[in-house]
Amino acid sequence: MLLKVENAKAYYKLEKVSVKAVDGVSFEIFEDEVVGVVGESGSGKTTLSNLVSMNILKPLTLVEGKILLKINGEFKEISSMSREEVKKKLWGKEVTIVPQSAMNALMPTIRMAKYVEHLAHSHDLAEEKLLAKAEKRFEEVGLDPLWLKRYPFELSGGMKQRAVIAIATILNPKLLIVDEPTSALDVVNQRVFLKVLMQLKRMGIVRSIIFITHDIATVRQIADRMIVMYAGKIVEISSMEEILRKPLHPYTRGLLNSVLTPEPEIRKRGISVIPGAPPNLISPPHGCRFHPRCPHVMDICKEKDPPLEEVEEGRRVACFLYSEERR
Ligand code: SF4
């Protein structure tokens, strides 16, 4: 195992209210796996990625729970590290996050090499050595190292995204978190990017990958397991194979049935939409947060929050349809 998240709650604490963006999630990431985290907008996926990488900036606050990462063979509670410690010891080397739209956040007036120099300074490393590593990494992701001397606007979208990944992985982070990395790319560049990700993993440059997306059709191509989030909670965790074959949680079923996919099992079930909209996370519904939209809602669902329970080996679901409690 590489990472353990135990009952983590992360809220955006505003002046009078709190937005419960991630509300009591527990899961693990194993070594050498790709985990897709899926859900609609506002389900808490991006907050979860910030949490796992300890990119916690006010008003986001970790109000409860622990995040543990294996560092040098031992689990360390990274959620108790100071921001300075996180910057020095964690980012780049242990965990790297490539945030949503990272490629569009590149300053048009700063050459790509400058980002490598910044990285060298922040980790007290020799600039020249790191630039040499960056040249190699550019080649590994299929880019000419000469592009390091160019400005971001001179690169196409697909090239920029690969350049961002190359720079983000220079220090060989064990865990790479990518948030919606393919949403701004065309289909051809999406495929190239997924290939690059898998190559970085095969080469041992990164050990495990968390792929955050709303796009199940993309993540199913590379993920070993899937975590489904709804309204700040994890509702289902399963191997990709099993979840595509037989989604258990009503929300997962709705999500899978609302996408076009070549999967015969899903095609057979047809396309449908989930009625309604995700709840407001300032005051989410009592009980199961999906109950106002669920076609199987029961009385208990309106009163109690269903716990995430193991229903088969390696498969967990938070739904009273599968729980002993309703029987
Ligand atoms: Fe539907 Fe109840 Fe399951 Fe929630 S707990 S998903 S409301 S059946």
Side-chain angles (χ1 to χ4, degrees):
M1 198 183 295
L2 184 63
L3 176 94
K4 269 196 274 188
V5 176
E6 296 176 358
N7 193 31
K9 295 186 181 182
Y11 298 170
Y12 290 92
K13 293 203 156 199
L14 308 176
E15 214 172 303
K16 290 190 179 138
V17 292
S18 287
V19 180
K20 299 174 179 113
V22 167
D23 206 9
V25 301
S26 300
F27 63 95
E28 313 74 32
I29 301 293
F30 298 105
E31 301 203 8
D32 286 322
E33 71 168 349
V34 179
V35 176
V37 178
V38 300
E40 290 164 288
S41 299
S43 59
K45 307 184 301 288
T46 294
T47 307
L48 189 78
S49 66
N50 285 327
L51 202 60
V52 168
S53 56
M54 287 305 295
N55 186 24
I56 300 175
L57 279 175
K58 287 209 176 331
L60 183 64
T61 314
L62 179 67
V63 294
E64 211 178 305
K66 279 185 194 171
I67 301 158
L68 300 119
L69 183 75
K70 201 188 237 180
I71 301 177
N72 299 328
E74 276 180 32
F75 277 103
K76 180 155 173 65
E77 190 186 333
I78 59 170
S79 44
S80 63
M81 281 182 167
S82 67
R83 191 151 175 96
E84 273 317 297
E85 229 184 329
V86 163
K87 278 189 190 164
K88 282 264 173 228
K89 296 184 183 164
L90 209 63
W91 287 350
K93 296 184 217 159
E94 305 293 338
V95 181
T96 283
I97 180 169
V98 178
Q100 213 167 332
S101 313
M103 65 178 187
N104 298 328
L106 295 170
M107 291 283 288
T109 50
I110 294 183
R111 291 178 205 268
M112 301 308 294
K114 203 75 189 156
Y115 290 98
V116 181
E117 290 166 19
H118 283 320
L119 193 68
H121 292 166
S122 62
H123 285 85
D124 296 327
L125 297 167
E127 247 176 48
E128 272 167 31
K129 264 192 184 171
L130 214 60
L131 278 167
K133 270 188 106 175
E135 287 180 5
K136 190 160 174 275
R137 188 58 38 87
F138 262 49
E139 275 175 342
E140 284 160 349
V141 302
L143 291 175
D144 189 323
L146 284 175
W147 287 108
L148 269 164
K149 298 198 177 113
R150 301 288 178 92
Y151 292 101
F153 68 83
E154 295 179 274
L155 279 70
S156 70
M159 290 163 88
K160 244 190 283 183
Q161 190 65 306
R162 275 184 280 155
V164 166
I165 280 290
I167 294 171
T169 57
I170 290 179
L171 301 177
N172 298 19
K174 290 193 195 88
L175 180 61
L176 174 66
I177 304 164
V178 281
D179 190 357
E180 299 281 7
T182 52
S183 51
L185 302 179
D186 60 44
V187 178
V188 174
N189 277 307
Q190 280 184 4
R191 271 201 214 118
V192 173
F193 184 78
L194 295 182
K195 261 194 192 166
V196 163
L197 272 189
M198 294 317 283
Q199 191 177 322
L200 291 174
K201 184 170 164 287
R202 249 194 324 275
M203 292 168 76
I205 290 166
V206 299
R207 298 287 281 279
S208 303
I209 299 172
I210 300 180
F211 194 107
I212 312 266
T213 184
H214 65 280
D215 181 6
I216 294 176
T218 301
V219 79
R220 60 175 277 285
Q221 299 174 47
I222 61 160
D224 303 297
R225 287 194 304 141
M226 188 143 102
I227 293 179
V228 184
M229 289 195 76
Y230 182 77
K233 301 249 181 205
I234 292 177
V235 295
E236 186 159 359
I237 302 181
S238 171
S239 70
M240 185 55 83
E241 209 183 355
E242 281 302 300
I243 215 161
L244 291 178
R245 192 182 67 78
K246 194 176 165 217
L248 295 180
H249 195 282
Y251 176 66
T252 316
R253 267 185 247 151
L255 206 58
L256 287 178
N257 290 350
S258 63
V259 291
L260 283 169
T261 161
E263 221 65 52
E265 286 297 322
I266 299 173
R267 271 217 314 253
K268 243 191 281 167
R269 294 195 288 264
I271 301 283
S272 58
V273 289
I274 309 171
N280 172 343
L281 293 181
I282 294 172
S283 53
H286 197 62
C288 171
R289 289 185 180 182
F290 189 56
H291 88 249
R293 302 174 77 186
C294 181
H296 307 283
V297 60
M298 300 168 277
D299 287 345
I300 188 173
C301 311
K302 297 176 190 166
E303 290 152 22
K304 286 181 128 185
D305 185 9
L308 187 69
E309 290 176 325
E310 184 149 54
V311 288
E312 289 164 24
E313 205 190 330
R315 186 149 206 201
R316 275 170 278 168
V317 184
C319 174
F320 287 121
L321 289 174
Y322 310 94
S323 167
E324 285 296 317
E325 230 176 306
R326 77 170 178 124
R327 288 171 197 141

